[in-house]
PDB file of all heavy atoms in Angstrom:
ATOM      1  N   GLN A  18     -26.758 -32.974 -63.967  1.00 96.00           N
ATOM      2  CA  GLN A  18     -27.324 -33.233 -65.329  1.00 96.00           C
ATOM      3  C   GLN A  18     -26.604 -34.330 -66.026  1.00 96.00           C
ATOM      4  O   GLN A  18     -27.232 -35.308 -66.574  1.00 96.00           O
ATOM      5  CB  GLN A  18     -27.415 -31.996 -66.160  1.00 96.00           C
ATOM      6  CG  GLN A  18     -27.944 -32.071 -67.535  1.00 96.00           C
ATOM      7  CD  GLN A  18     -29.505 -32.211 -67.515  1.00 96.00           C
ATOM      8  OE1 GLN A  18     -30.145 -31.771 -66.594  1.00 96.00           O
ATOM      9  NE2 GLN A  18     -29.981 -32.873 -68.567  1.00 96.00           N
ATOM     10  N   GLU A  19     -25.320 -34.183 -66.211  1.00 96.00           N
ATOM     11  CA  GLU A  19     -24.529 -35.078 -66.962  1.00 96.00           C
ATOM     12  C   GLU A  19     -24.538 -36.637 -66.381  1.00 96.00           C
ATOM     13  O   GLU A  19     -24.603 -37.556 -67.019  1.00 96.00           O
ATOM     14  CB  GLU A  19     -23.069 -34.644 -67.215  1.00 96.00           C
ATOM     15  CG  GLU A  19     -22.940 -33.398 -68.169  1.00 96.00           C
ATOM     16  CD  GLU A  19     -21.622 -33.018 -68.409  1.00 96.00           C
ATOM     17  OE1 GLU A  19     -20.615 -33.802 -68.058  1.00 96.00           O
ATOM     18  OE2 GLU A  19     -21.324 -31.981 -69.095  1.00 96.00           O
ATOM     19  N   GLN A  20     -24.409 -36.563 -65.050  1.00 97.00           N
ATOM     20  CA  GLN A  20     -24.344 -37.843 -64.341  1.00 97.00           C
ATOM     21  C   GLN A  20     -25.579 -38.571 -64.440  1.00 97.00           C
ATOM     22  O   GLN A  20     -25.647 -39.804 -64.658  1.00 97.00           O
ATOM     23  CB  GLN A  20     -23.950 -37.614 -62.902  1.00 97.00           C
ATOM     24  CG  GLN A  20     -23.487 -38.809 -62.102  1.00 97.00           C
ATOM     25  CD  GLN A  20     -23.052 -38.538 -60.701  1.00 97.00           C
ATOM     26  OE1 GLN A  20     -23.033 -37.361 -60.261  1.00 97.00           O
ATOM     27  NE2 GLN A  20     -22.587 -39.551 -59.969  1.00 97.00           N
ATOM     28  N   VAL A  21     -26.752 -37.875 -64.247  1.00 97.00           N
ATOM     29  CA  VAL A  21     -28.049 -38.542 -64.339  1.00 97.00           C
ATOM     30  C   VAL A  21     -28.341 -39.009 -65.826  1.00 97.00           C
ATOM     31  O   VAL A  21     -28.890 -40.111 -66.027  1.00 97.00           O
ATOM     32  CB  VAL A  21     -29.182 -37.587 -63.817  1.00 97.00           C
ATOM     33  CG1 VAL A  21     -30.517 -38.143 -64.129  1.00 97.00           C
ATOM     34  CG2 VAL A  21     -29.047 -37.288 -62.410  1.00 97.00           C
ATOM     35  N   ALA A  22     -27.898 -38.180 -66.752  1.00 97.00           N
ATOM     36  CA  ALA A  22     -28.186 -38.533 -68.198  1.00 97.00           C
ATOM     37  C   ALA A  22     -27.503 -39.823 -68.533  1.00 97.00           C
ATOM     38  O   ALA A  22     -27.974 -40.665 -69.226  1.00 97.00           O
ATOM     39  CB  ALA A  22     -27.795 -37.372 -69.082  1.00 97.00           C
ATOM     40  N   ALA A  23     -26.210 -39.969 -68.001  1.00 97.00           N
ATOM     41  CA  ALA A  23     -25.414 -41.124 -68.193  1.00 97.00           C
ATOM     42  C   ALA A  23     -26.017 -42.312 -67.449  1.00 97.00           C
ATOM     43  O   ALA A  23     -26.031 -43.424 -68.093  1.00 97.00           O
ATOM     44  CB  ALA A  23     -23.918 -40.923 -67.752  1.00 97.00           C
ATOM     45  N   ALA A  24     -26.560 -42.178 -66.303  1.00 97.00           N
ATOM     46  CA  ALA A  24     -27.177 -43.234 -65.531  1.00 97.00           C
ATOM     47  C   ALA A  24     -28.434 -43.702 -66.270  1.00 97.00           C
ATOM     48  O   ALA A  24     -28.717 -44.933 -66.172  1.00 97.00           O
ATOM     49  CB  ALA A  24     -27.471 -42.769 -64.163  1.00 97.00           C
ATOM     50  N   LEU A  25     -29.141 -42.853 -66.833  1.00 97.00           N
ATOM     51  CA  LEU A  25     -30.478 -43.168 -67.505  1.00 97.00           C
ATOM     52  C   LEU A  25     -30.318 -43.555 -68.974  1.00 97.00           C
ATOM     53  O   LEU A  25     -31.210 -44.114 -69.577  1.00 97.00           O
ATOM     54  CB  LEU A  25     -31.492 -42.121 -67.251  1.00 97.00           C
ATOM     55  CG  LEU A  25     -31.891 -41.819 -65.798  1.00 97.00           C
ATOM     56  CD1 LEU A  25     -32.881 -40.668 -65.786  1.00 97.00           C
ATOM     57  CD2 LEU A  25     -32.459 -43.055 -65.155  1.00 97.00           C
ATOM     58  N   GLY A  26     -29.287 -43.042 -69.634  1.00 96.00           N
ATOM     59  CA  GLY A  26     -29.149 -43.187 -71.018  1.00 96.00           C
ATOM     60  C   GLY A  26     -30.017 -42.219 -71.856  1.00 96.00           C
ATOM     61  O   GLY A  26     -30.227 -42.394 -73.089  1.00 96.00           O
ATOM     62  N   ILE A  27     -30.563 -41.214 -71.147  1.00 96.00           N
ATOM     63  CA  ILE A  27     -31.444 -40.212 -71.725  1.00 96.00           C
ATOM     64  C   ILE A  27     -31.346 -38.973 -71.000  1.00 96.00           C
ATOM     65  O   ILE A  27     -31.367 -39.037 -69.690  1.00 96.00           O
ATOM     66  CB  ILE A  27     -32.894 -40.689 -71.950  1.00 96.00           C
ATOM     67  CG1 ILE A  27     -33.756 -39.747 -72.583  1.00 96.00           C
ATOM     68  CG2 ILE A  27     -33.393 -41.090 -70.505  1.00 96.00           C
ATOM     69  CD1 ILE A  27     -35.105 -40.335 -72.941  1.00 96.00           C
ATOM     70  N   PRO A  28     -31.217 -37.805 -71.545  1.00 96.00           N
ATOM     71  CA  PRO A  28     -31.111 -36.559 -70.730  1.00 96.00           C
ATOM     72  C   PRO A  28     -32.482 -36.160 -70.202  1.00 96.00           C
ATOM     73  O   PRO A  28     -33.482 -36.123 -70.998  1.00 96.00           O
ATOM     74  CB  PRO A  28     -30.612 -35.497 -71.796  1.00 96.00           C
ATOM     75  CG  PRO A  28     -31.065 -36.029 -73.084  1.00 96.00           C
ATOM     76  CD  PRO A  28     -31.056 -37.543 -72.949  1.00 96.00           C
ATOM     77  N   PRO A  29     -32.597 -35.840 -68.907  1.00 97.00           N
ATOM     78  CA  PRO A  29     -33.843 -35.377 -68.352  1.00 97.00           C
ATOM     79  C   PRO A  29     -34.153 -33.963 -68.813  1.00 97.00           C
ATOM     80  O   PRO A  29     -33.259 -33.188 -69.166  1.00 97.00           O
ATOM     81  CB  PRO A  29     -33.597 -35.399 -66.885  1.00 97.00           C
ATOM     82  CG  PRO A  29     -32.131 -35.293 -66.725  1.00 97.00           C
ATOM     83  CD  PRO A  29     -31.581 -35.944 -67.931  1.00 97.00           C
ATOM     84  N   VAL A  30     -35.446 -33.639 -68.951  1.00 97.00           N
ATOM     85  CA  VAL A  30     -35.862 -32.307 -69.338  1.00 97.00           C
ATOM     86  C   VAL A  30     -35.884 -31.350 -68.091  1.00 97.00           C
ATOM     87  O   VAL A  30     -35.911 -30.144 -68.255  1.00 97.00           O
ATOM     88  CB  VAL A  30     -37.266 -32.321 -70.028  1.00 97.00           C
ATOM     89  CG1 VAL A  30     -37.216 -33.134 -71.326  1.00 97.00           C
ATOM     90  CG2 VAL A  30     -38.361 -32.852 -69.100  1.00 97.00           C
ATOM     91  N   ASP A  31     -35.931 -31.905 -66.893  1.00 97.00           N
ATOM     92  CA  ASP A  31     -35.824 -31.151 -65.648  1.00 97.00           C
ATOM     93  C   ASP A  31     -35.202 -32.030 -64.669  1.00 97.00           C
ATOM     94  O   ASP A  31     -35.355 -33.363 -64.672  1.00 97.00           O
ATOM     95  CB  ASP A  31     -37.258 -30.653 -65.241  1.00 97.00           C
ATOM     96  CG  ASP A  31     -37.164 -29.529 -64.207  1.00 97.00           C
ATOM     97  OD1 ASP A  31     -35.994 -29.062 -63.929  1.00 97.00           O
ATOM     98  OD2 ASP A  31     -38.225 -29.121 -63.697  1.00 97.00           O
ATOM     99  N   LEU A  32     -34.523 -31.423 -63.605  1.00 98.00           N
ATOM    100  CA  LEU A  32     -33.824 -32.234 -62.578  1.00 98.00           C
ATOM    101  C   LEU A  32     -33.894 -31.477 -61.305  1.00 98.00           C
ATOM    102  O   LEU A  32     -33.534 -30.256 -61.228  1.00 98.00           O
ATOM    103  CB  LEU A  32     -32.355 -32.347 -63.078  1.00 98.00           C
ATOM    104  CG  LEU A  32     -31.558 -33.533 -62.391  1.00 98.00           C
ATOM    105  CD1 LEU A  32     -32.211 -34.872 -62.562  1.00 98.00           C
ATOM    106  CD2 LEU A  32     -30.121 -33.519 -62.976  1.00 98.00           C
ATOM    107  N   CYS A  33     -34.302 -32.122 -60.264  1.00 97.00           N
ATOM    108  CA  CYS A  33     -34.440 -31.530 -58.948  1.00 97.00           C
ATOM    109  C   CYS A  33     -34.117 -32.597 -57.921  1.00 97.00           C
ATOM    110  O   CYS A  33     -34.020 -33.815 -58.229  1.00 97.00           O
ATOM    111  CB  CYS A  33     -35.679 -30.828 -58.727  1.00 97.00           C
ATOM    112  SG  CYS A  33     -37.175 -31.836 -58.985  1.00 97.00           S
ATOM    113  N   ARG A  34     -34.076 -32.265 -56.656  1.00 96.00           N
ATOM    114  CA  ARG A  34     -33.859 -33.185 -55.616  1.00 96.00           C
ATOM    115  C   ARG A  34     -34.567 -32.802 -54.360  1.00 96.00           C
ATOM    116  O   ARG A  34     -34.906 -31.598 -54.133  1.00 96.00           O
ATOM    117  CB  ARG A  34     -32.379 -33.402 -55.327  1.00 96.00           C
ATOM    118  CG  ARG A  34     -31.680 -32.191 -54.843  1.00 96.00           C
ATOM    119  CD  ARG A  34     -30.202 -32.483 -54.558  1.00 96.00           C
ATOM    120  NE  ARG A  34     -30.052 -33.415 -53.443  1.00 96.00           N
ATOM    121  CZ  ARG A  34     -28.858 -33.941 -53.090  1.00 96.00           C
ATOM    122  NH1 ARG A  34     -27.773 -33.560 -53.623  1.00 96.00           N
ATOM    123  NH2 ARG A  34     -28.781 -34.778 -52.106  1.00 96.00           N
ATOM    124  N   GLY A  35     -34.813 -33.766 -53.442  1.00 93.00           N
ATOM    125  CA  GLY A  35     -35.331 -33.542 -52.146  1.00 93.00           C
ATOM    126  C   GLY A  35     -34.651 -34.613 -51.298  1.00 93.00           C
ATOM    127  O   GLY A  35     -33.399 -34.701 -51.301  1.00 93.00           O
ATOM    128  N   GLY A  36     -35.381 -35.598 -50.712  1.00 84.00           N
ATOM    129  CA  GLY A  36     -34.807 -36.758 -50.075  1.00 84.00           C
ATOM    130  C   GLY A  36     -34.158 -37.589 -51.143  1.00 84.00           C
ATOM    131  O   GLY A  36     -33.182 -38.287 -50.818  1.00 84.00           O
ATOM    132  N   MET A  37     -34.729 -37.674 -52.298  1.00 95.00           N
ATOM    133  CA  MET A  37     -34.155 -38.398 -53.480  1.00 95.00           C
ATOM    134  C   MET A  37     -33.963 -37.378 -54.633  1.00 95.00           C
ATOM    135  O   MET A  37     -34.311 -36.314 -54.516  1.00 95.00           O
ATOM    136  CB  MET A  37     -35.135 -39.489 -53.951  1.00 95.00           C
ATOM    137  CG  MET A  37     -35.268 -40.693 -53.044  1.00 95.00           C
ATOM    138  SD  MET A  37     -36.275 -41.995 -53.885  1.00 95.00           S
ATOM    139  CE  MET A  37     -36.142 -43.292 -52.672  1.00 95.00           C
ATOM    140  N   GLY A  38     -33.182 -37.901 -55.643  1.00 97.00           N
ATOM    141  CA  GLY A  38     -33.141 -37.199 -56.848  1.00 97.00           C
ATOM    142  C   GLY A  38     -34.359 -37.380 -57.641  1.00 97.00           C
ATOM    143  O   GLY A  38     -34.904 -38.461 -57.579  1.00 97.00           O
ATOM    144  N   MET A  39     -34.711 -36.435 -58.526  1.00 98.00           N
ATOM    145  CA  MET A  39     -35.875 -36.546 -59.390  1.00 98.00           C
ATOM    146  C   MET A  39     -35.574 -36.148 -60.770  1.00 98.00           C
ATOM    147  O   MET A  39     -35.254 -34.975 -61.039  1.00 98.00           O
ATOM    148  CB  MET A  39     -37.099 -35.853 -58.879  1.00 98.00           C
ATOM    149  CG  MET A  39     -38.419 -36.167 -59.639  1.00 98.00           C
ATOM    150  SD  MET A  39     -39.891 -35.341 -58.909  1.00 98.00           S
ATOM    151  CE  MET A  39     -39.656 -33.684 -59.362  1.00 98.00           C
ATOM    152  N   ALA A  40     -35.635 -37.001 -61.803  1.00 98.00           N
ATOM    153  CA  ALA A  40     -35.432 -36.697 -63.167  1.00 98.00           C
ATOM    154  C   ALA A  40     -36.779 -36.715 -63.968  1.00 98.00           C
ATOM    155  O   ALA A  40     -37.424 -37.728 -63.926  1.00 98.00           O
ATOM    156  CB  ALA A  40     -34.465 -37.716 -63.773  1.00 98.00           C
ATOM    157  N   VAL A  41     -37.137 -35.598 -64.513  1.00 98.00           N
ATOM    158  CA  VAL A  41     -38.357 -35.484 -65.298  1.00 98.00           C
ATOM    159  C   VAL A  41     -37.961 -35.750 -66.843  1.00 98.00           C
ATOM    160  O   VAL A  41     -37.080 -35.163 -67.367  1.00 98.00           O
ATOM    161  CB  VAL A  41     -38.938 -34.142 -65.163  1.00 98.00           C
ATOM    162  CG1 VAL A  41     -40.291 -34.071 -65.958  1.00 98.00           C
ATOM    163  CG2 VAL A  41     -39.132 -33.721 -63.745  1.00 98.00           C
ATOM    164  N   LEU A  42     -38.752 -36.743 -67.411  1.00 98.00           N
ATOM    165  CA  LEU A  42     -38.526 -37.156 -68.787  1.00 98.00           C
ATOM    166  C   LEU A  42     -39.636 -36.558 -69.642  1.00 98.00           C
ATOM    167  O   LEU A  42     -40.692 -36.057 -69.117  1.00 98.00           O
ATOM    168  CB  LEU A  42     -38.438 -38.573 -68.854  1.00 98.00           C
ATOM    169  CG  LEU A  42     -37.426 -39.335 -68.157  1.00 98.00           C
ATOM    170  CD1 LEU A  42     -37.279 -40.722 -68.436  1.00 98.00           C
ATOM    171  CD2 LEU A  42     -36.013 -38.633 -68.320  1.00 98.00           C
ATOM    172  N   ALA A  43     -39.563 -36.684 -70.919  1.00 97.00           N
ATOM    173  CA  ALA A  43     -40.416 -36.090 -71.898  1.00 97.00           C
ATOM    174  C   ALA A  43     -41.748 -36.755 -71.944  1.00 97.00           C
ATOM    175  O   ALA A  43     -42.698 -36.153 -72.384  1.00 97.00           O
ATOM    176  CB  ALA A  43     -39.771 -35.964 -73.215  1.00 97.00           C
ATOM    177  N   SER A  44     -41.827 -38.060 -71.627  1.00 96.00           N
ATOM    178  CA  SER A  44     -43.090 -38.784 -71.818  1.00 96.00           C
ATOM    179  C   SER A  44     -43.125 -39.950 -70.937  1.00 96.00           C
ATOM    180  O   SER A  44     -42.135 -40.447 -70.377  1.00 96.00           O
ATOM    181  CB  SER A  44     -43.252 -39.320 -73.230  1.00 96.00           C
ATOM    182  OG  SER A  44     -42.237 -40.283 -73.551  1.00 96.00           O
ATOM    183  N   ALA A  45     -44.378 -40.442 -70.644  1.00 96.00           N
ATOM    184  CA  ALA A  45     -44.561 -41.692 -69.905  1.00 96.00           C
ATOM    185  C   ALA A  45     -43.885 -42.894 -70.563  1.00 96.00           C
ATOM    186  O   ALA A  45     -43.392 -43.788 -69.894  1.00 96.00           O
ATOM    187  CB  ALA A  45     -46.101 -41.972 -69.756  1.00 96.00           C
ATOM    188  N   GLN A  46     -43.905 -42.890 -71.849  1.00 95.00           N
ATOM    189  CA  GLN A  46     -43.299 -44.020 -72.606  1.00 95.00           C
ATOM    190  C   GLN A  46     -41.800 -44.016 -72.253  1.00 95.00           C
ATOM    191  O   GLN A  46     -41.228 -45.060 -72.139  1.00 95.00           O
ATOM    192  CB  GLN A  46     -43.475 -43.776 -74.108  1.00 95.00           C
ATOM    193  CG  GLN A  46     -42.917 -44.990 -74.970  1.00 95.00           C
ATOM    194  CD  GLN A  46     -43.209 -44.802 -76.395  1.00 95.00           C
ATOM    195  OE1 GLN A  46     -43.370 -43.721 -76.900  1.00 95.00           O
ATOM    196  NE2 GLN A  46     -43.315 -45.948 -77.062  1.00 95.00           N
ATOM    197  N   GLN A  47     -41.177 -42.906 -72.177  1.00 97.00           N
ATOM    198  CA  GLN A  47     -39.660 -42.875 -71.851  1.00 97.00           C
ATOM    199  C   GLN A  47     -39.479 -43.395 -70.427  1.00 97.00           C
ATOM    200  O   GLN A  47     -38.605 -44.133 -70.156  1.00 97.00           O
ATOM    201  CB  GLN A  47     -39.178 -41.441 -71.961  1.00 97.00           C
ATOM    202  CG  GLN A  47     -38.967 -40.890 -73.383  1.00 97.00           C
ATOM    203  CD  GLN A  47     -38.236 -39.625 -73.420  1.00 97.00           C
ATOM    204  OE1 GLN A  47     -38.116 -38.903 -72.450  1.00 97.00           O
ATOM    205  NE2 GLN A  47     -37.764 -39.210 -74.609  1.00 97.00           N
ATOM    206  N   VAL A  48     -40.346 -43.102 -69.474  1.00 97.00           N
ATOM    207  CA  VAL A  48     -40.240 -43.547 -68.193  1.00 97.00           C
ATOM    208  C   VAL A  48     -40.415 -45.043 -68.171  1.00 97.00           C
ATOM    209  O   VAL A  48     -39.602 -45.829 -67.472  1.00 97.00           O
ATOM    210  CB  VAL A  48     -41.289 -42.946 -67.180  1.00 97.00           C
ATOM    211  CG1 VAL A  48     -41.351 -43.576 -65.850  1.00 97.00           C
ATOM    212  CG2 VAL A  48     -41.151 -41.475 -67.114  1.00 97.00           C
ATOM    213  N   GLN A  49     -41.354 -45.621 -68.902  1.00 95.00           N
ATOM    214  CA  GLN A  49     -41.619 -47.015 -68.955  1.00 95.00           C
ATOM    215  C   GLN A  49     -40.428 -47.724 -69.527  1.00 95.00           C
ATOM    216  O   GLN A  49     -40.078 -48.927 -69.181  1.00 95.00           O
ATOM    217  CB  GLN A  49     -42.930 -47.275 -69.686  1.00 95.00           C
ATOM    218  CG  GLN A  49     -43.476 -48.680 -69.574  1.00 95.00           C
ATOM    219  CD  GLN A  49     -45.010 -48.658 -69.881  1.00 95.00           C
ATOM    220  OE1 GLN A  49     -45.376 -48.007 -70.809  1.00 95.00           O
ATOM    221  NE2 GLN A  49     -45.690 -49.525 -69.149  1.00 95.00           N
ATOM    222  N   GLN A  50     -39.799 -47.208 -70.572  1.00 96.00           N
ATOM    223  CA  GLN A  50     -38.777 -47.889 -71.259  1.00 96.00           C
ATOM    224  C   GLN A  50     -37.358 -47.751 -70.791  1.00 96.00           C
ATOM    225  O   GLN A  50     -36.435 -48.419 -71.243  1.00 96.00           O
ATOM    226  CB  GLN A  50     -38.871 -47.485 -72.761  1.00 96.00           C
ATOM    227  CG  GLN A  50     -40.148 -47.909 -73.436  1.00 96.00           C
ATOM    228  CD  GLN A  50     -40.229 -47.469 -74.884  1.00 96.00           C
ATOM    229  OE1 GLN A  50     -39.408 -46.620 -75.383  1.00 96.00           O
ATOM    230  NE2 GLN A  50     -41.219 -47.939 -75.643  1.00 96.00           N
ATOM    231  N   VAL A  51     -37.135 -46.762 -69.913  1.00 97.00           N
ATOM    232  CA  VAL A  51     -35.725 -46.485 -69.438  1.00 97.00           C
ATOM    233  C   VAL A  51     -35.131 -47.674 -68.815  1.00 97.00           C
ATOM    234  O   VAL A  51     -35.811 -48.480 -68.061  1.00 97.00           O
ATOM    235  CB  VAL A  51     -35.759 -45.250 -68.530  1.00 97.00           C
ATOM    236  CG1 VAL A  51     -36.361 -45.595 -67.203  1.00 97.00           C
ATOM    237  CG2 VAL A  51     -34.350 -44.745 -68.362  1.00 97.00           C
ATOM    238  N   GLN A  52     -33.890 -47.965 -69.154  1.00 96.00           N
ATOM    239  CA  GLN A  52     -33.114 -49.080 -68.567  1.00 96.00           C
ATOM    240  C   GLN A  52     -31.801 -48.452 -67.990  1.00 96.00           C
ATOM    241  O   GLN A  52     -30.840 -48.306 -68.640  1.00 96.00           O
ATOM    242  CB  GLN A  52     -32.734 -50.082 -69.616  1.00 96.00           C
ATOM    243  CG  GLN A  52     -33.975 -50.753 -70.245  1.00 96.00           C
ATOM    244  CD  GLN A  52     -33.703 -51.840 -71.240  1.00 96.00           C
ATOM    245  OE1 GLN A  52     -32.499 -52.094 -71.532  1.00 96.00           O
ATOM    246  NE2 GLN A  52     -34.703 -52.416 -71.841  1.00 96.00           N
ATOM    247  N   PRO A  53     -31.838 -48.207 -66.652  1.00 97.00           N
ATOM    248  CA  PRO A  53     -30.736 -47.474 -66.012  1.00 97.00           C
ATOM    249  C   PRO A  53     -29.465 -48.363 -65.953  1.00 97.00           C
ATOM    250  O   PRO A  53     -29.555 -49.585 -66.007  1.00 97.00           O
ATOM    251  CB  PRO A  53     -31.217 -47.222 -64.671  1.00 97.00           C
ATOM    252  CG  PRO A  53     -32.726 -47.441 -64.700  1.00 97.00           C
ATOM    253  CD  PRO A  53     -32.958 -48.452 -65.726  1.00 97.00           C
ATOM    254  N   ASP A  54     -28.395 -47.689 -65.884  1.00 96.00           N
ATOM    255  CA  ASP A  54     -27.010 -48.227 -65.549  1.00 96.00           C
ATOM    256  C   ASP A  54     -26.996 -48.272 -64.056  1.00 96.00           C
ATOM    257  O   ASP A  54     -26.840 -47.157 -63.413  1.00 96.00           O
ATOM    258  CB  ASP A  54     -25.944 -47.402 -66.201  1.00 96.00           C
ATOM    259  CG  ASP A  54     -24.540 -48.024 -65.924  1.00 96.00           C
ATOM    260  OD1 ASP A  54     -24.306 -48.310 -64.699  1.00 96.00           O
ATOM    261  OD2 ASP A  54     -23.756 -48.156 -66.830  1.00 96.00           O
ATOM    262  N   TRP A  55     -27.128 -49.472 -63.507  1.00 95.00           N
ATOM    263  CA  TRP A  55     -27.322 -49.461 -61.945  1.00 95.00           C
ATOM    264  C   TRP A  55     -26.109 -48.980 -61.240  1.00 95.00           C
ATOM    265  O   TRP A  55     -26.210 -48.392 -60.207  1.00 95.00           O
ATOM    266  CB  TRP A  55     -27.643 -50.930 -61.533  1.00 95.00           C
ATOM    267  CG  TRP A  55     -28.897 -51.419 -62.204  1.00 95.00           C
ATOM    268  CD1 TRP A  55     -29.026 -52.465 -63.028  1.00 95.00           C
ATOM    269  CD2 TRP A  55     -30.215 -50.866 -62.064  1.00 95.00           C
ATOM    270  NE1 TRP A  55     -30.264 -52.578 -63.427  1.00 95.00           N
ATOM    271  CE2 TRP A  55     -31.064 -51.644 -62.845  1.00 95.00           C
ATOM    272  CE3 TRP A  55     -30.762 -49.735 -61.331  1.00 95.00           C
ATOM    273  CZ2 TRP A  55     -32.494 -51.367 -62.947  1.00 95.00           C
ATOM    274  CZ3 TRP A  55     -32.109 -49.528 -61.390  1.00 95.00           C
ATOM    275  CH2 TRP A  55     -32.912 -50.333 -62.224  1.00 95.00           C
ATOM    276  N   ALA A  56     -24.878 -49.226 -61.745  1.00 95.00           N
ATOM    277  CA  ALA A  56     -23.682 -48.737 -61.135  1.00 95.00           C
ATOM    278  C   ALA A  56     -23.638 -47.204 -61.036  1.00 95.00           C
ATOM    279  O   ALA A  56     -23.299 -46.640 -60.052  1.00 95.00           O
ATOM    280  CB  ALA A  56     -22.446 -49.313 -61.786  1.00 95.00           C
ATOM    281  N   GLN A  57     -24.087 -46.595 -62.114  1.00 96.00           N
ATOM    282  CA  GLN A  57     -24.091 -45.126 -62.195  1.00 96.00           C
ATOM    283  C   GLN A  57     -25.184 -44.508 -61.325  1.00 96.00           C
ATOM    284  O   GLN A  57     -25.094 -43.455 -60.741  1.00 96.00           O
ATOM    285  CB  GLN A  57     -24.278 -44.608 -63.634  1.00 96.00           C
ATOM    286  CG  GLN A  57     -22.971 -44.981 -64.476  1.00 96.00           C
ATOM    287  CD  GLN A  57     -22.802 -44.142 -65.725  1.00 96.00           C
ATOM    288  OE1 GLN A  57     -22.723 -42.961 -65.584  1.00 96.00           O
ATOM    289  NE2 GLN A  57     -22.838 -44.783 -66.830  1.00 96.00           N
ATOM    290  N   VAL A  58     -26.351 -45.254 -61.239  1.00 96.00           N
ATOM    291  CA  VAL A  58     -27.414 -44.835 -60.366  1.00 96.00           C
ATOM    292  C   VAL A  58     -26.927 -44.831 -58.912  1.00 96.00           C
ATOM    293  O   VAL A  58     -27.124 -43.963 -58.156  1.00 96.00           O
ATOM    294  CB  VAL A  58     -28.695 -45.599 -60.473  1.00 96.00           C
ATOM    295  CG1 VAL A  58     -29.744 -45.321 -59.385  1.00 96.00           C
ATOM    296  CG2 VAL A  58     -29.355 -45.416 -61.938  1.00 96.00           C
TER     297      VAL A  58
END
């Protein structure tokens, strides 16, 4: 949770993983606007 929130600059409302990690955000607008920290990703 903390590592992904730092990488995205926004805390996810849900977090799970399979082959990849998956961060669920509150809205499509947040998904569109997120600017990740690539080193942390």
Side-chain angles (χ1 to χ4, degrees):
Q18 179 75 26
E19 291 186 7
Q20 195 176 1
V21 171
L25 296 178
I27 185 172
V30 298
D31 197 6
L32 197 60
C33 55
R34 65 177 295 175
M37 289 187 172
M39 187 173 78
V41 183
L42 302 186
S44 68
Q46 185 178 27
Q47 286 187 346
V48 172
Q49 197 159 35
Q50 294 178 350
V51 70
Q52 297 183 358
D54 181 310
W55 301 117
Q57 295 200 57
V58 172

